[in-house]
Amino acid sequence: MTGQSSGGFAVAGADPDEAERRIQQWAQGFAEKAQRYQEVQAQTEQLRLSASSPDGRIKVTVRADGSVTDLEFTDKIRSMPPNELAAQILSTMHRAQADIAGKVGETMAATLGDEDQQTRSMMLDNLRERFPEQPEDEVEEETSSKWDGPAEDDETPAPPAAPAAPTAPPAQPRRPRFEDEDDDEFGPDFDPLRD
């Protein structure tokens, strides 16, 4: 028996200096790997991704976590209806966020190389799920909201609602009366089964 396990660590009866050297190599490799991941984290935290609306009226900048760091408008937004403005802001924000997984992936590849493909894949899949890529030819749908009021040029009043047919109120179940219902200790609303 040589005294080594398949994991590279020495077992009982092996040279103690060799075992210590292997443990130190493992610890150093682990520390170097942790340092590379910290570098990836620091670089990722510095990432800023921007997108502009097709007409250039709106620009949104986001971090790698998807949060908005900057929102810019041109004076041309003053003529936009509020619901269109809101839809364009959201659409532009989603376009900026759609690049997050790609940029984080590039940062990881540059710092980690081919190391930890499974971990990288899992992290990037999570980002792609949270911030899906936007198709190039995405057609923006008109949005409607319960907050929309009637159009300014629409002066046609709504037809009056039909009068409701009278209905009888639902019958209330009658509670049986007990002789001791007015008992001072428990009162009329006492229910022994209620907590």
Side-chain angles (χ1 to χ4, degrees), residues 77-170:
I77 65 155
R78 294 175 193 241
S79 63
M80 294 177 75
N83 62 338
E84 183 183 336
L85 175 61
Q88 286 231 1
I89 290 170
L90 289 174
S91 174
T92 305
M93 181 182 74
H94 291 151
R95 274 201 303 281
Q97 291 171 334
D99 292 335
I100 290 174
K103 293 296 183 185
V104 170
E106 290 173 12
T107 301
M108 292 179 85
T111 306
L112 300 175
D114 291 333
E115 186 176 339
D116 277 345
Q117 289 291 331
Q118 185 177 6
T119 302
R120 182 182 318 174
S121 177
M122 184 176 66
M123 290 173 64
L124 295 178
D125 287 347
N126 180 283
L127 286 172
R128 285 185 195 101
E129 184 178 312
R130 288 177 55 208
F131 309 112
E133 293 181 11
Q134 301 291 308
E136 291 293 325
D137 58 345
E138 178 182 81
V139 177
E140 294 187 27
E141 298 177 9
E142 287 193 30
T143 59
S144 166
S145 167
K146 66 180 181 181
W147 301 105
D148 290 346
E152 290 178 19
D153 59 342
D154 184 10
E155 295 180 16
T156 308
T167 60

Side-chain angles (χ1 to χ4, degrees), residues 55-75:
D55 59 10
R57 295 179 187 187
I58 300 164
K59 180 180 177 184
V60 178
T61 303
V62 297
R63 289 185 178 101
D65 66 0
S67 62
V68 175
T69 62
D70 195 27
L71 184 59
E72 298 176 30
F73 303 115
T74 67
D75 287 335

